[in-house]
Amino acid sequence: MKESNVYVQDLSRGIIKENPVFRLLLGMCPVLGVTAFLINGLGMGLAATAVLIASNVVVASLKNFIPAQVRIPIFIVIIATFVTIIEMVLQAFQPALYDALGVFVPLIVVNCMILGRAEAFASKKPILRSLLDGIGVGIGFTLALGILSLVREVFGQGTILGPEPESSIHLFGEAFEPMGLFAQPPGAFIALGLLLAINNIIFKKYNL
Amino acid sequence: MIKIYEKLIVSSSPHIRSNESVQSIMLDVLIALFPAALMAVLLFGYRALITMVLAVGTAMIVEALWLRKRDVFSDGSAAVTGLLLAMTLPAAAPWWLTVVGSASAIIIGKQVFGGIGYNIFNPALVGRAILVVSWGGHMAGDIWPSPQPFAFGADVSAVTGATVLSVPEKAVMLSLPEMFIGNMAGCLGETSGLALLIGGIWLVYKGHIDLRIPVGFIGTIFLLGLVLGGGFYGNHLMTGLFHVLAGGVMLGAIYMATDLVTTPVTPNGRLIFGIGCGLITMAVRFWGTYPEGVTYAILIMNAFTPIIDNFTIPQRFGEVNESA
């Protein structure tokens, strides 16, 4: 009973209680950079999740062979390997998404959320728990990016599932003029700030 | 026998109380804005009145809802923010533009920082900046020809639309007295230098604004217009005056750069603040992509206010410089 409880905690911790975006404010660069459209936000979230899970598992399995003095460079090399794989996969199978994410895909290497999980969790815990932790934090990250990019796309573009015209759904009538602020970088900061405020109210109210 | 100790009551400061309150100051600012508001209605017609009423109403209602108060006027600061925002809008602004701008001025510009006295940036200008970024076309391009109840001249030049700064060759047709009265293109409240000046004199008389900020601001604009303007408007002196009267310098310098909350409190700091506003405004006018820079100049200087205050703390009487 107690044993399984730990695993449930590892999985659920990253989603709300230690949500990397809304609670820890880690990995802000892609959060602010690629969330103009829902598809980009979710794509970024899933790419980072894949890297996070893989790096967590590898770091956890190699933890006894990594010298403490050079652990950060080794973590970075491990993360960079998976980022390169993800980058090539995206380029081959999702070229539109790859173009939209641009420089933010290689920048996953230095995403402090992934490095943070490797340093704080995977390098000290068993493989299975690191795997669950990676899945949980990844879900939390993807969820947060999804919410932020949804808000930004709905208000900033008036669509969902843009920017391709065939898939995008226009939510409002022709007369609607989107609020360009949310489509632009300063709007990302303001939208994130407002979402953080709303989150804090909800978290406080339900004592999460 | 007089018990002298009864007359020697020692209490802690403050010993002198003023009858001024936030509400009375805000009422004075509203009174000071009245001439400019009147000129806006005279020049731009009923649309100006609708925009002002809508902006003030939205600001007061949003603030009352946010603070969960029944008293919509309250301390009056929301009404001032709403009216100042309306002054920076074009008369052709659609109703939703005014409402969104006013609501975001109150919420993002003021209440998220903790309400009156805690905001870092001038709320009305935050509202305007958000509108310019979001709907630049409406803020600059919508043309609303003036019905011209005043027979100023034969040509209809009092349209709200792009400020005269964006089309300098058109501005050459305007004479300086015309610009001073307000018969030119621009936002609701920024065109009439005369009306703004009357309100400014009222504020100085009541002691609510420090002359250093507007003088530093307008003086810098004038000097830079004189030196760098190239004399396109008649001669160099006239070009300097043109830069003062065109765009939002008068409105910004008198009503927005002198905001009690977001500007320095030290005398020298206020002078630096005004000069900084003037420098940034002229930098945007000469080299920026926007035709006008008063909004951003004041917002940027608002951000510097704590540093300016820190470096200009006046020396107390009797204080000796340690290095001497």
Side-chain angles (χ1 to χ4, degrees):
Chain A
M1 181 65 205
K2 197 167 174 279
E3 192 74 349
S4 67
N5 232 354
V6 172
Y7 295 127
V8 173
Q9 262 187 20
D10 284 339
L11 190 62
S12 65
R13 191 194 301 115
I15 299 173
I16 290 175
K17 205 174 168 212
E18 286 182 22
N19 186 299
V21 175
F22 290 141
R23 299 315 285 274
L24 306 179
L25 292 167
L26 285 177
M28 286 291 109
C29 170
V31 170
L32 297 167
V34 299
T35 49
F37 289 98
L38 181 60
I39 287 181
N40 296 354
L42 288 178
M44 185 59 185
L46 291 176
T49 303
V51 174
L52 176 64
I53 293 171
S55 79
N56 256 11
V57 169
V58 172
V59 168
S61 47
L62 293 178
K63 62 178 180 287
N64 294 331
F65 304 99
I66 298 175
Q69 292 87 345
V70 289
R71 64 188 190 285
I72 300 290
I74 291 178
F75 294 159
I76 300 242
V77 169
I78 292 169
I79 295 166
T81 312
F82 290 110
V83 169
T84 312
I85 295 170
I86 289 288
E87 194 182 355
M88 287 170 168
V89 169
L90 277 180
Q91 201 171 4
F93 296 104
Q94 292 288 336
L97 183 63
Y98 175 79
D99 285 339
L101 296 182
V103 74
F104 290 102
V105 176
L107 277 178
I108 298 175
V109 175
V110 286
N111 189 319
C112 46
M113 172 190 76
I114 296 172
L115 195 60
R117 291 330 286 179
E119 164 77 12
F121 198 92
S123 62
K124 293 166 189 153
K125 299 285 188 328
I127 297 173
L128 183 59
R129 289 188 63 188
S130 300
L131 172 74
L132 291 173
D133 178 76
I135 295 172
V137 174
I139 291 173
F141 188 67
T142 312
L143 208 63
L145 257 75
I147 294 171
L148 181 60
S149 53
L150 186 69
V151 169
R152 284 186 67 193
E153 188 175 345
V154 167
F155 288 109
Q157 314 279 348
T159 61
I160 296 185
L161 301 175
E164 267 83 43
E166 56 265 29
S167 70
S168 74
I169 303 160
H170 284 266
L171 292 174
F172 310 104
E174 285 295 306
F176 177 76
E177 290 176 54
M179 192 168 180
L181 173 76
F182 284 111
Q184 293 171 27
F189 281 95
I190 292 176
L192 179 67
L194 294 176
L195 277 179
L196 282 173
I198 294 169
N199 266 300
N200 280 347
I201 293 170
I202 295 171
F203 288 161
K204 206 175 249 178
K205 194 168 180 185
Y206 295 102
N207 219 355
L208 290 170
Chain B
M1 203 173 98
I2 304 161
K3 293 174 182 166
I4 195 158
Y5 54 85
E6 279 184 358
K7 288 193 167 180
L8 295 172
I9 300 163
V10 178
S11 66
S12 69
S13 60
H15 303 294
I16 303 169
R17 287 171 198 279
S18 134
N19 290 323
E20 262 184 10
S21 64
V22 173
Q23 195 175 31
S24 76
I25 294 173
M26 292 300 162
L27 274 174
D28 280 336
V29 176
L30 285 178
I31 293 167
L33 279 168
F34 182 73
L38 191 68
M39 278 308 277
V41 176
L42 287 176
L43 287 166
F44 303 119
Y46 71 96
R47 286 290 295 262
L49 191 65
I50 293 175
T51 303
M52 285 189 281
V53 170
L54 210 55
V56 172
T58 310
M60 291 199 298
I61 291 169
V62 167
E63 173 142 310
L65 285 176
W66 184 280
L67 298 175
R68 296 184 188 84
K69 273 192 199 165
R70 284 277 175 82
D71 180 12
V72 284
F73 187 76
S74 184
D75 56 15
S77 59
V80 169
T81 298
L83 190 55
L84 279 177
L85 175 75
M87 290 292 176
T88 68
L89 295 177
W95 65 269
W96 51 265
L97 192 80
T98 314
V99 169
V100 171
S102 200
S104 46
I106 291 294
I107 295 174
I108 299 176
K110 186 169 148 200
Q111 293 299 346
V112 295
F113 293 104
I116 182 167
Y118 296 101
N119 48 311
I120 304 169
F121 300 104
N122 189 315
L125 288 178
V126 170
R128 179 184 157 79
I130 286 174
L131 293 182
V132 170
V133 171
S134 295
W135 296 285
H138 279 299
M139 292 298 284
D142 284 1
I143 302 293
W144 171 256
S146 163
Q148 288 248 347
F150 276 7
F152 271 135
D155 63 323
V156 183
S157 44
V159 294
T160 60
T163 156
V164 287
L165 287 161
S166 58
V167 269
E169 58 275 11
K170 254 190 201 166
V172 178
M173 298 188 302
L174 300 164
S175 71
L176 283 177
E178 252 186 321
M179 291 177 73
F180 186 58
I181 292 168
N183 195 18
M184 62 173 170
C187 298
L188 285 186
E190 74 179 18
T191 57
S192 177
L194 176 68
L196 292 167
L197 212 55
I198 293 171
I201 291 168
W202 165 255
L203 284 180
V204 173
Y205 166 71
K206 294 292 274 186
H208 296 323
I209 64 174
D210 190 332
L211 267 180
R212 289 179 184 88
I213 293 174
V215 166
F217 195 159
I218 294 173
T220 310
I221 299 275
F222 175 73
L223 283 179
L224 285 178
L226 192 84
V227 176
L228 299 173
F232 79 94
Y233 192 80
N235 57 40
H236 287 281
L237 194 68
M238 298 257 285
T239 310
L241 282 173
F242 167 81
H243 273 288
V244 172
L245 290 175
V249 172
M250 297 283 273
L251 178 67
I254 297 174
Y255 295 94
M256 289 163 174
T258 55
D259 180 19
L260 296 168
V261 178
T262 56
T263 55
V265 292
T266 59
N268 285 339
R270 288 180 169 168
L271 200 59
I272 294 171
F273 184 90
I275 292 169
C277 285
L279 287 176
I280 298 172
T281 302
M282 290 312 262
V284 174
R285 280 188 183 179
F286 286 134
W287 302 296
T289 42
Y290 285 103
E292 174 62 307
V294 171
T295 308
Y296 296 107
I298 298 175
L299 285 175
I300 291 169
M301 290 310 288
N302 281 164
F304 281 109
T305 295
I307 302 179
I308 296 173
D309 263 340
N310 227 358
F311 277 98
T312 53
I313 298 169
Q315 207 167 34
R316 277 165 300 193
F317 179 71
E319 191 177 345
V320 179
N321 201 342
E322 274 177 33
S323 61

